[in-house]
Amino acid sequence: MKKEARLILGGGAAYGLAHIGAIEAIRAEFRISGIVGTSMGAIIGGLYALGKTPREILALALDSKSALVFNPGLVNYQPLKLSLDLIKSLHNKNKIMDVFAKLIGDARIEALDLPFVAVAYDLNLRQTILIDKGPLTGAMRASSSLPLLFSPHEMNGHLFVDGGIEHPLPVAFKDLVPGNFTIAVNVLPPVSREAVRIGKPAKEMDSDLRAHEVVIQSILQNQGFVAIQAMLQNPPDLFIDAHNPGKNMFDLADVEDFYDFGYQAAKESLARMAEPSFMNQLLNRYQGRISRFMKRSHSVPED
């Protein structure tokens, strides 16, 4: 009989598509007992909690009719040749909710076979809200309302934006779903090893980033730092780093590449899980990286 495990799935724009492959690998070894998800982690986790298999979720992410759910800004999605009408509907809340509704119907979180919690941030209350009841469509939409790509989602008096604003890797809420073994999957960019003095750039810089690319890249880099701090404060039993360094956070058309990367990352971590020192070494490495970065020193390394 498989051991039970609850999943913590973080946000990360296109990087979050790696969750699909990670779940495929994890469920081969564990019976998933509950999911807490933020942003793309809430979308993919919600679909899995609804009963969709990883392969079915992958197919939805590849289908132009449902792609708006995974790619709200339709960024770099030329291969799918989406209609002009859909592009004009970028910030149309009703259009986006229509796509969610077609995928999910009127499913309610409390009626799902698999316990599920979506993490969102309320701009009115200025605090994180944990959505563990009500329509699944609203919960997924609220948690994934990344600024500049999604307009805020109004629901029950709340004005929701992306849950990653405060909890990009929501390990703090693991006890909201059943399970004695916690697996956290992080897809966000890594924390810098150290600060360096200004000097000649090591590589050619891209100076043609569009406004939304600048903002979202900055948001996700900051969230990457917060996610590691969250993991160190609430260590899971297994941490899977499924960030794909060879991809861009806007590579939303490369669904299969992210799936494959997430699957392999999870398989490798699961294989090393039996090593007694695996998680201790991992935690020590990240703690050391955070400490070096946060340490105040006059001797900042030269670039």
Side-chain angles (χ1 to χ4, degrees), residues 3-250:
K3 186 177 179 179
E4 284 189 349
R6 54 191 174 194
L7 302 188
I8 309 299
L9 305 179
Y15 295 127
L17 294 168
H19 287 311
I20 308 173
I23 292 175
E24 183 74 275
I26 292 167
R27 75 180 195 143
E29 303 290 336
F30 291 89
R31 187 181 74 80
I32 297 172
S33 57
I35 298 176
V36 180
T38 289
S39 197
M40 188 67 88
I43 292 176
I44 293 169
L47 289 172
Y48 187 79
L50 182 65
K52 302 289 185 184
T53 67
R55 284 290 175 178
E56 288 173 333
I57 299 172
L58 177 64
L60 289 172
L62 289 167
D63 185 353
S64 62
K65 295 179 181 179
S66 53
L68 187 63
V69 168
F70 303 90
N71 184 10
L74 307 174
V75 182
N76 292 344
Y77 233 80
Q78 295 302 316
L80 290 181
K81 298 181 180 178
L82 292 164
S83 68
L84 181 61
D85 175 63
L86 201 55
I87 294 173
K88 288 180 179 179
S89 301
L90 173 57
H91 293 294
N92 186 315
K93 292 180 284 188
N94 294 329
K95 184 70 175 183
I96 297 170
M97 286 300 291
D98 285 347
V99 178
F100 269 106
K102 288 178 182 178
L103 289 181
I104 300 167
D106 58 358
R108 296 183 65 84
I109 295 175
E110 57 268 39
L112 298 175
D113 291 334
L114 187 65
F116 172 72
V117 178
V119 180
Y121 184 83
D122 185 349
L123 289 176
N124 288 334
L125 296 177
R126 298 184 182 181
Q127 69 180 113
T128 290
I129 305 295
L130 304 170
I131 308 175
D132 59 356
K133 60 184 177 181
L136 180 60
T137 52
M140 292 165 62
R141 169 68 172 86
S143 181
S144 61
S145 299
L146 190 63
L148 286 185
L149 289 188
F150 265 148
S151 55
H153 181 60
E154 299 176 42
M155 186 172 74
N156 299 332
H158 298 283
L159 186 61
F160 287 120
V161 292
D162 194 279
I165 296 300
E166 280 194 339
H167 293 279
L169 186 64
V171 284
F173 311 120
K174 60 185 180 183
D175 291 333
L176 293 179
V177 294
N180 295 320
F181 193 88
T182 304
I183 300 176
V185 185
N186 182 49
V187 298
L188 288 161
V191 175
S192 302
R193 291 182 179 275
E194 57 187 13
V196 298
R197 293 188 185 278
I198 190 169
K200 184 179 180 181
K203 60 180 180 179
E204 189 72 20
M205 297 294 111
D206 185 356
S207 59
D208 296 324
L209 292 174
R210 290 171 287 180
H212 72 273
E213 293 175 317
V214 172
V215 173
I216 296 172
Q217 183 171 325
S218 301
I219 289 174
L220 292 190
Q221 192 63 51
N222 181 71
Q223 288 184 359
F225 190 83
V226 175
I228 295 304
Q229 289 180 308
M231 187 267 292
L232 292 172
Q233 291 169 1
N234 295 277
D237 297 290
L238 180 63
F239 177 78
I240 297 173
D241 182 357
H243 171 74
N244 188 339
K247 292 293 179 180
N248 187 284
M249 65 193 69
F250 300 107

Side-chain angles (χ1 to χ4, degrees), residues 272-284:
R272 296 195 62 189
M273 184 175 60
E275 299 176 18
S277 60
F278 174 58
M279 276 303 296
N280 285 336
Q281 289 177 354
L282 188 68
L283 292 171
N284 288 338

